[in-house]
Amino acid sequence: MRKTLGSKTLGLLVGLLTLSRLAAAQASESVGHYPLPDSSDIVGRVQTVETSGEETLIDIGLRHGVGYNAMVRANPETNVWVPGEGTEVVVPTRYILPPGPHEGIVVNLAEMRLYYYPDTPQGKTPRVETYPIGIGRMDWQTPLGRTTVTAKVENPAWYPPQSIIAERAKRGETLPSVVPPGPDNPLGKHALILDLPGYLIHGTNRPAGVGMRVSHGCIRMLPGDIADLIHRVPVGTPVRLVKEPVKFGWDAAGILHVQAYPAQVAADDGADAHIAEAMNAATRAASGRRFLVDYRRLKEQLEAPDGMPTALLLAGRPFPLPEPVLTFFERAQLIPSLYSRVATSPAGKPLMQPE
């Protein structure tokens, strides 16, 4: 939830966390916690579960650390509110790590996910934690850039800015100048204060909105997620706010994957430019490797992103063979020449052997 925080306002926030409480925090194995791989940019795995009772797609997603939009993209044919007893539901819990340093907090707005790289004690395996988030609506966009965590607050009071008070007034609602801690407070029970005037990472009193564009610019987390995270994130932790609708990453077998999300670009030239930029990025990623990119599959993901890592290994012919191919000799001559137009090794030989 967006608000302006000066030193005076910050002093009014109640319940600053104490050192003793921080020392008592436990780093337990939880949903979305993974060892940081040495030879891969990808963590987790896609799951398939069966619905039971009257649970919704939102219920299933939040139980597995996945927000609303991600669940809908992964299950486009499934009714969100009444999927039905025994329905198989895909839970997209496999992630390509965002580009850049594996340190501090990284928030990918396009993905609506937060990644946290805790400090690694000597002799321990580096880890990454990832959580679904809610972000700013189109008219209250969450900013991009670098910042830091400056304070941590338990049971915060909310001081809505005049812009939000005026917005509510247009709907006939009266919003007080101060919303105390409690069930009506949209900040929830915990908040990370950022060195970015007016923005927080905080809990929520409406968990179903996590995974959607619902806030006035701040970053919402599930109450249980931030209740655990806040006790382990030191003040001074760096925070990067990025917008990466297309992520590329290599798995341990040396196969390039793409993970795409809606890019929020203009329908005409903007969409074309987005696809062209992603195609070029895939070419750069594969440069210098014995790897042929399946640009057709990449384009499909860009045009209809499902938010799940997709392998881009070219397994078939990149273009149809002209017909007729009359003889075996003509076929043997033709196929290598076609592949040589796609990619060649430094020695000039096709990287993919003909079928």
Side-chain angles (χ1 to χ4, degrees):
M1 188 62 63
R2 191 174 190 275
K3 60 195 183 71
T4 302
L5 287 173
S7 57
K8 182 178 179 180
T9 304
L10 184 59
L12 293 174
L13 292 169
V14 298
L16 281 172
L17 297 172
T18 63
L19 291 176
S20 60
R21 180 67 180 274
L22 293 174
Q26 296 181 347
S28 59
E29 290 293 329
S30 302
V31 171
H33 292 206
Y34 305 100
L36 199 58
D38 291 328
S39 57
S40 172
D41 304 311
I42 305 175
V43 297
R45 61 181 180 85
V46 175
Q47 303 177 64
T48 302
V49 301
E50 286 191 2
T51 57
S52 62
E54 298 180 355
E55 62 183 355
T56 67
L57 271 189
I58 298 176
D59 297 331
I60 296 169
L62 296 186
R63 189 169 72 244
H64 291 86
V66 179
Y68 173 86
N69 282 348
M71 288 297 294
V72 171
R73 278 193 296 268
N75 301 275
E77 305 299 325
T78 303
N79 188 296
V80 174
W81 304 108
V82 189
E85 176 81 22
T87 299
E88 286 196 347
V89 171
V90 174
V91 186
T93 46
R94 192 175 188 224
Y95 312 102
I96 296 176
L97 299 176
H102 294 167
E103 62 181 20
I105 291 174
V106 180
V107 175
N108 186 5
L109 302 180
E111 188 180 0
M112 297 191 201
R113 290 200 75 81
L114 179 150
Y115 293 83
Y116 174 52
Y117 301 91
D119 291 337
T120 306
Q122 188 172 3
K124 298 294 185 180
T125 301
R127 302 186 65 80
V128 60
E129 305 170 14
T130 181
Y131 303 94
I133 56 172
I135 63 173
R137 306 191 318 246
M138 294 303 294
D139 52 340
W140 293 87
Q141 293 194 35
T142 305
L144 303 176
R146 294 176 178 269
T147 184
T148 58
V149 175
T150 59
K152 303 189 285 188
V153 179
E154 194 168 31
N155 294 320
W158 178 43
Y159 297 80
Q162 189 58 43
S163 56
I164 297 180
I165 293 176
E167 180 189 59
R168 295 287 184 88
K170 290 180 181 178
R171 304 202 303 251
E173 303 174 11
T174 300
L175 189 63
S177 58
V178 180
V179 178
D184 297 327
N185 190 319
L187 302 184
K189 296 182 178 181
H190 302 89
L192 295 171
I193 312 300
L194 302 179
D195 189 20
L196 188 65
Y199 296 90
L200 312 171
I201 300 173
H202 61 78
T204 179
N205 61 346
R206 296 181 178 180
V210 171
M212 292 190 281
R213 296 178 177 272
V214 291
S215 79
H216 288 84
C218 282
I219 297 163
R220 295 183 180 181
M221 297 184 67
L222 291 174
D225 288 346
I226 194 166
D228 173 54
L229 186 67
I230 195 170
H231 301 302
R232 297 183 289 105
V233 174
V235 170
T237 295
V239 178
R240 283 195 298 128
L241 301 166
V242 302
K243 184 180 180 182
E244 298 285 351
V246 182
K247 299 184 295 179
F248 293 99
W250 298 89
D251 67 11
I255 296 176
L256 183 65
H257 288 65
V258 65
Q259 189 169 21
Y261 300 89
Q264 306 293 332
V265 296
D268 299 325
D269 292 343
D272 292 340
H274 168 65
I275 291 175
E277 181 180 349
M279 294 281 193
N280 291 333
T283 301
R284 291 193 299 270
S287 178
R289 297 196 184 215
R290 295 177 61 85
F291 187 89
L292 285 179
V293 176
D294 189 335
Y295 291 100
R296 178 189 57 79
R297 188 179 301 172
L298 172 57
K299 188 170 185 288
E300 290 174 350
Q301 280 295 309
L302 297 173
E303 291 176 337
D306 62 14
M308 291 185 284
T310 300
L312 293 179
L313 176 64
L314 182 63
R317 289 188 285 270
F319 28 67
L321 291 175
E323 296 294 342
V325 177
L326 298 178
T327 68
F328 175 82
F329 176 77
E330 288 173 328
R331 179 180 175 87
Q333 291 284 82
L334 179 61
I335 295 177
S337 67
L338 289 176
Y339 277 120
S340 68
R341 291 162 47 193
V342 181
T344 58
S345 68
K349 297 179 180 179
L351 294 182
M352 178 173 284
Q353 295 300 318
E355 297 175 345

